[in-house]
Amino acid sequence: MNKLGWLFALLLCTGCAVFGAQKYDSLFGQEQVQNRQIDVSAEQQSFFHNQVKPVIDNRCVVCHGCYDAPCQLKLSSPEGIERGLSKELVYDGTRLLASDPSRLFIDAQTTGQWREKGFSPVLNEREQSAHANLVASVMYQSLALKQAHPLPSQAILPDDFDFSLDRDQSCPTIAEFDDFAQDNPLAGMPYGLPAISSEEMAVLTQWLQQGAQMPQQQSVSAALQSEVDKWESFLNQDSLKTRLSARYIYEHWYLANIYFDNVDQGQFFKLVRSATPPGEPIEVIATRRPYEDPKVARVYYRLWPSHSTVLAKTNIPLALNDDKLSRLTQQFIAPAFKVTSLPGYDIAIASNPFKVFAQLPVQSRYQFMLDEAELIIRGFIQGPVCRGQIALNVINDQFWVAFVDPKFIGSEQFEHFLNRHEDMLDMPAQEDSNALPISSWVKYATKQSEFLEAKAQLANKVFAGGEGLTEDIIWQGEGYNNNAALTIFRHFNSATVVKGWVGEQPKTAWILDYSLFERIHYLLVAGFDVYGNVGHQLITRLYMDFLRMEGEDNFLSLLPQQERTALRAYWYRQSPKSLVEFLKDSEIRFNQPTGIEYQSDNPKQELLNKLANKLEPVMSKRYDYQSVPQPLQQLNRLPSQAVNLLPQVSYILVQNSEDPNASAQAFTLVHHNAHFNISSLLREEAQRAYKEDKALVVPGFIGDYPEALWVMDATELDTFVSAMKKIRTEDDYRLLKDQFAIRRTHADFWRYSDALHKVAKDYKGIEYGLFDYNRLENR
């Protein structure tokens, strides 16, 4: 379509919207924001919590709950329902200028403020009558459209249904809805899934007719408030030492779902910055990043009750109790150090934790991160940065993570080293949210290269002759902390981190020291702005290449010298002239021998075995693939031709027909994509080593975005596995799905969805949250 054609279409669309608005204005009056969170009767409260909310949660929030919810429509809370939808994209890798943030609960506090930011209602905001509340409601009209036009009666939906992450979004307002429905009769909600039942439709219709009223949030219990008061008192003491420590704690915990495990595990809190002290209503300080200028005389750290439906994608639980309070006191208050002045919020200082927190002991900072290492890493695995292929092709599909023992980090020598080289540790977030990608990348790549040179010189001195460079440098979790060994999975456009070393030995492994762990957090979590421009997002991705290689090189340093270069060359097979050469790092800078005596001709395998033995006392066995039933274990040895056809994350529910009362067993089938190298930003497909792809089956749930759901009886396992081994074509795969899969078009999809969530809730406990169905395959 030429430019005049596009202009005509835009004018036509705008004209239709204006006409539609006039129609609804004449029927029901002009829009006026309604207050729907009100003090309702006990009967109305019961109706909402016991009938309405379960339908919205289990049929709507499974697609409309996260940052990447279509049209930014987050139905996981009353505030999100009232906010409505927006045509603006959160994830836009092409924007030239940073966009205004639109974080629910943070960037606006009232529905009226969201209307000023361009959000349009999905509930009726005109005349409040039973008739108008249906006719003028986008939510009702979307549900009714699906009731009138159910899914086509075929297993695989036609290409008219677009399920790609970056699909065009219409996001019609009520004024635009009639034209949208006429052009897209199969776009009713739930999109690309079966309609909700007639009983569920009746419940939502009754609720909408009555004005979609939602009970006001109840205050927390006295027991919980007592815990909140205790912690807010700790985090808001007046001494400079405690104020700086609280700032550090906040900048690492602000994504966590905090709960008090000795009182109530059903109520989560968020740690927020507030302009008001404990005892007063919270006034959230809204900044793009957690370390930006709050523009208030003093920041207070408050615990804000969360009343949103919990989603697996964003659930990062953190238990607080008296033991944790004592631990923080031991780390940040008891040590004999002084804070003489509080650092400011200038971006050049605040974006660099090695500058802003230089007065806090390095060992205290590092041990604090290690105590909840999985939680910290979850920040960049499950936080806003982690969405889409381009954001994630910086990591391999499965690798193990271990950490350097704090006793090697907390020395005065290392602390002085960090202080001397803090300028080299500046990161791309210093450019704010509008960055020029090429010049910024060159600048920070040069700083990183200089830091690696200085770090290698120190390491060559400390480990001269290989003395001390053994498996003893690995943190062993102090004998009890299972955060010491982690596995990270990439699922092409999403990712997962779990405790334990899961699966067969991986291609690569990371060993994180304090400076590297901290930089990853401030690059991908604290310093990342999902609303930033293309330059900010691009240099964040490129800089992470350097940090990944640094973690890999830490692992390589424990291998024999002749093995290091050869192994890394294998990891980066077929690399173009790339970041390795740019960093002048074709040879590994660390040149001291290892202190480990190797006995085999496979040093990498031997090293991983040695480290696993060292970590055995704290190694989580939750996802031990050897505990999977014998028939399913055979899927770990699927031929690559079969693995190539699998989606990234599949859930398997195994039922027991001999005991109908027994809960189904759940397993995850993970597809590991192999690569010749992962140093290419835009040409991932060209780097795929398809013949090296592998599958892994583990008990329970890995991943938050299921793409396929397989359901079978225990007596059918052999048949299922045998057929899975034989698939070689797309037709083979589809025939197997005909027999065992619950497709998105399955007539009983929602019944199986409920069963899946029930099993997940029993299995995951405090980590439970609703799965996101936006990546369900259509095959």
Side-chain angles (χ1 to χ4, degrees):
M1 189 182 292
N2 59 32
K3 292 182 179 179
L4 286 177
W6 279 113
L7 180 60
F8 176 75
L10 178 64
L11 291 173
L12 181 64
C13 182
T14 303
C16 292
V18 170
F19 175 76
Q22 291 175 344
K23 181 185 80 171
Y24 283 99
D25 287 347
S26 64
L27 287 172
F28 307 119
Q30 293 187 341
E31 288 185 324
Q32 183 175 354
V33 173
Q34 305 293 314
N35 179 22
R36 303 180 197 275
Q37 292 190 62
I38 59 175
D39 188 13
V40 299
S41 67
E43 182 181 0
Q44 290 173 308
Q45 191 173 78
S46 175
F47 175 61
F48 178 79
H49 286 300
N50 297 326
Q51 296 188 56
V52 176
K53 191 174 185 297
V55 177
I56 294 176
D57 285 350
N58 294 296
R59 304 293 180 262
C60 307
V61 175
V62 288
C63 288
H64 286 278
C66 296
Y67 264 98
D68 51 359
C71 303
Q72 296 194 56
L73 178 57
K74 295 182 68 172
L75 300 175
S76 50
S77 67
E79 291 82 358
I81 295 171
E82 290 196 77
R83 181 178 75 163
L85 54 83
S86 170
K87 298 179 187 293
E88 296 293 322
L89 296 175
V90 172
Y91 290 94
D92 182 358
T94 64
R95 62 168 71 99
L96 298 179
L97 295 175
S99 64
D100 292 332
S102 54
R103 296 161 296 182
L104 190 63
F105 302 113
I106 296 174
D107 296 309
Q109 301 302 318
T110 67
T111 306
Q113 291 171 347
W114 286 119
R115 295 292 172 268
E116 293 173 2
K117 289 179 176 289
F119 280 75
S120 60
V122 294
L123 302 176
N124 171 42
E125 292 191 342
R126 290 178 165 83
E127 171 192 308
Q128 292 298 290
S129 66
H131 178 58
N133 285 339
L134 298 184
V135 175
S137 164
V138 170
M139 187 173 183
Y140 176 80
Q141 295 294 343
S142 299
L143 293 166
L145 183 62
K146 171 56 69 74
Q147 299 285 322
H149 300 277
L151 289 180
S153 55
Q154 57 195 79
I156 300 171
L157 296 172
D159 292 340
D160 294 348
F161 287 85
D162 186 356
F163 300 112
S164 61
L165 283 181
D166 298 318
R167 65 183 181 269
D168 292 333
Q169 297 185 27
S170 300
C171 313
T173 64
I174 190 60
E176 300 162 341
F177 197 88
D178 287 348
D179 293 310
F180 170 79
Q182 184 174 350
D183 294 339
N184 304 277
L186 294 176
M189 294 295 140
Y191 178 69
L193 291 166
I196 63 176
S197 69
S198 57
E199 293 80 8
E200 292 166 338
M201 186 67 185
V203 166
L204 293 187
T205 299
Q206 179 182 344
W207 174 66
L208 290 166
Q209 280 180 318
Q210 294 173 352
Q213 295 176 350
M214 293 169 276
Q216 290 180 332
Q217 302 296 350
Q218 300 297 309
S219 58
V220 300
S221 68
L224 269 179
Q225 189 61 51
S226 177
E227 292 296 316
V228 168
D229 293 343
K230 181 196 305 181
W231 277 85
E232 288 189 346
S233 176
F234 171 78
L235 292 168
N236 293 288
Q237 298 175 69
D238 292 330
S239 74
L240 300 184
K241 187 176 186 178
T242 54
R243 289 175 66 179
L244 186 59
S245 298
R247 177 172 172 177
Y248 184 80
I249 292 168
Y250 163 73
E251 290 183 13
H252 290 78
W253 280 3
Y254 70 96
L255 286 181
N257 271 349
I258 292 171
Y259 67 101
F260 297 99
D261 60 356
N262 60 335
V263 179
D264 183 354
Q265 297 191 21
Q267 175 63 65
F268 285 124
F269 294 82
K270 290 290 185 183
L271 185 58
V272 299
R273 295 198 298 179
S274 174
T276 52
E280 296 183 17
I282 293 174
E283 291 183 17
V284 175
I285 296 169
T287 55
R288 286 180 179 269
R289 298 175 175 85
Y291 53 67
E292 289 184 348
D293 190 351
K295 295 182 170 56
V296 295
R298 177 171 175 180
V299 171
Y300 296 95
Y301 301 98
R302 307 288 302 279
L303 287 165
W304 196 13
S306 172
H307 298 287
S308 297
T309 299
V310 180
L311 295 127
K313 168 67 173 72
T314 54
N315 187 17
I316 309 176
L318 170 63
L320 296 189
N321 48 46
D322 289 343
D323 289 341
K324 176 62 75 174
L325 193 62
S326 297
R327 180 68 164 175
L328 296 182
T329 300
Q330 174 193 5
Q331 290 169 336
F332 292 107
I333 310 303
F337 67 92
K338 292 183 178 180
V339 175
T340 57
S341 62
L342 293 177
Y345 291 94
D346 178 83
I347 194 70
I349 300 295
S351 63
N352 185 330
F354 306 99
K355 293 179 179 179
V356 73
F357 298 114
Q359 297 174 89
L360 299 180
V362 166
Q363 189 156 2
S364 294
R365 288 181 260 162
Y366 185 36
Q367 187 63 69
F368 166 82
M369 296 183 74
L370 290 178
D371 283 353
E372 303 291 348
E374 183 199 27
L375 178 141
I376 301 297
I377 291 181
R378 276 189 171 194
F380 56 90
I381 292 298
Q382 292 179 264
V385 66
C386 206
R387 188 266 199 186
Q389 172 209 2
I390 298 301
L392 287 161
N393 67 9
V394 73
I395 60 175
N396 281 288
D397 266 45
Q398 176 222 7
F399 58 96
W400 292 347
V401 179
F403 303 89
V404 175
D405 194 297
K407 68 185 179 186
F408 293 94
I409 300 299
S411 68
E412 187 174 340
Q413 182 183 28
F414 184 75
E415 193 147 354
H416 288 167
F417 169 78
L418 286 181
N419 291 337
R420 285 197 309 273
H421 298 92
E422 60 183 19
D423 286 337
M424 297 178 188
L425 297 171
D426 287 339
M427 284 173 285
Q430 193 178 103
E431 305 299 313
D432 210 352
S433 296
N434 288 300
L436 299 174
I438 302 302
S439 60
S440 297
W441 180 67
V442 170
K443 178 171 73 172
Y444 292 106
T446 301
K447 286 177 178 283
Q448 169 72 358
S449 185
E450 291 172 352
F451 174 73
L452 289 182
E453 187 65 43
K455 179 182 175 182
Q457 290 178 10
L458 175 63
N460 284 325
K461 179 180 177 181
V462 171
F463 295 108
E467 184 179 352
L469 190 58
T470 70
E471 61 266 39
D472 289 336
I473 72 165
I474 299 299
W475 179 56
Q476 298 173 58
E478 301 176 51
Y480 67 88
N481 192 333
N482 60 8
N483 281 275
L486 305 175
T487 300
I488 294 177
F489 298 96
R490 178 197 170 193
H491 317 300
F492 188 66
N493 52 30
S494 66
T496 307
V497 56
V498 297
K499 293 175 181 175
W501 280 1
V502 182
E504 297 180 352
Q505 289 191 350
K507 173 183 170 183
T508 65
W510 293 3
I511 295 178
L512 301 185
D513 56 37
Y514 166 65
S515 66
L516 180 55
F517 199 9
E518 193 78 276
R519 276 177 288 151
I520 293 175
H521 176 74
Y522 275 84
L523 176 74
L524 298 182
V525 185
F528 181 76
D529 178 16
V530 69
Y531 301 94
N533 78 334
V534 61
H536 164 72
Q537 299 191 38
L538 183 61
I539 62 173
T540 297
R541 159 61 180 81
L542 291 171
Y543 190 84
M544 184 57 202
D545 272 318
F546 308 145
L547 302 188
R548 180 196 67 246
M549 292 179 67
E550 188 177 343
E552 293 170 345
D553 284 355
N554 286 345
F555 172 77
L556 292 174
S557 69
L558 290 172
L559 290 169
Q561 288 173 284
Q562 69 274 15
E563 196 76 17
R564 297 169 191 168
T565 301
L567 186 55
R568 195 171 70 171
Y570 174 73
W571 291 348
Y572 290 92
R573 291 170 288 166
Q574 303 184 20
S575 287
K577 186 171 183 178
S578 67
L579 60 105
V580 178
E581 295 178 14
F582 182 86
L583 284 168
K584 301 177 183 177
D585 198 19
S586 56
E587 296 295 332
I588 298 171
R589 291 179 170 97
F590 179 73
N591 55 29
Q592 296 303 308
T594 178
I596 299 174
E597 294 185 7
Y598 288 91
Q599 307 297 323
S600 72
D601 58 359
N602 191 335
K604 176 199 156 190
Q605 181 185 75
E606 189 175 346
L607 174 58
L608 287 171
N609 286 335
K610 287 179 181 291
L611 297 182
N613 289 335
K614 202 77 175 176
L615 293 166
E616 178 63 25
V618 296
M619 187 76 74
S620 172
K621 300 297 194 299
R622 185 178 189 185
Y623 296 100
D624 187 353
Y625 69 101
Q626 294 181 354
S627 65
V628 171
Q630 196 61 41
L632 287 179
Q633 283 193 33
Q634 298 176 53
L635 298 180
N636 295 323
R637 297 181 294 278
L638 281 178
S640 61
Q641 305 98 307
V643 179
N644 293 157
L645 288 160
L646 297 178
Q648 300 298 294
V649 175
S650 306
Y651 292 156
I652 302 172
L653 289 184
V654 179
Q655 301 170 328
N656 186 348
S657 58
E658 296 181 359
D659 185 2
N661 296 320
S663 297
Q665 290 182 290
F667 305 92
T668 303
L669 175 60
V670 183
H671 175 179
H672 295 325
N673 290 356
H675 299 80
F676 296 117
N677 68 81
I678 51 172
S679 59
S680 177
L681 173 62
L682 299 175
R683 299 179 63 250
E684 179 174 2
E685 195 66 22
Q687 308 306 326
R688 286 279 283 109
Y690 287 100
K691 292 182 180 180
E692 299 172 22
D693 281 14
K694 293 182 179 181
L696 172 67
V697 181
V698 297
F701 298 91
I702 296 285
D704 306 314
Y705 295 92
E707 295 171 70
L709 174 60
W710 305 88
V711 179
M712 65 205 68
D713 190 75
T715 59
E716 299 175 301
L717 283 177
D718 287 326
T719 303
F720 170 71
V721 171
S722 177
M724 183 70 79
K725 289 179 181 178
K726 296 175 183 176
I727 61 173
R728 294 294 184 273
T729 67
E730 181 67 19
D731 286 342
D732 294 339
Y733 180 77
R734 290 184 176 183
L735 285 173
L736 187 61
K737 291 199 76 173
D738 288 343
Q739 187 174 1
F740 291 107
I742 305 301
R743 289 187 171 100
R744 56 167 57 244
T745 55
H746 196 287
D748 287 329
F749 175 85
W750 291 117
R751 179 169 68 84
Y752 284 105
S753 172
D754 291 341
L756 175 69
H757 280 109
K758 182 180 184 302
V759 175
K761 189 170 187 177
D762 292 340
Y763 184 85
K764 300 183 77 171
I766 195 65
E767 296 178 348
Y768 169 77
L770 292 171
F771 296 120
D772 191 307
Y773 288 160
N774 278 296
R775 290 169 173 78
L776 279 174
E777 65 180 5
N778 178 39
R779 295 168 67 193

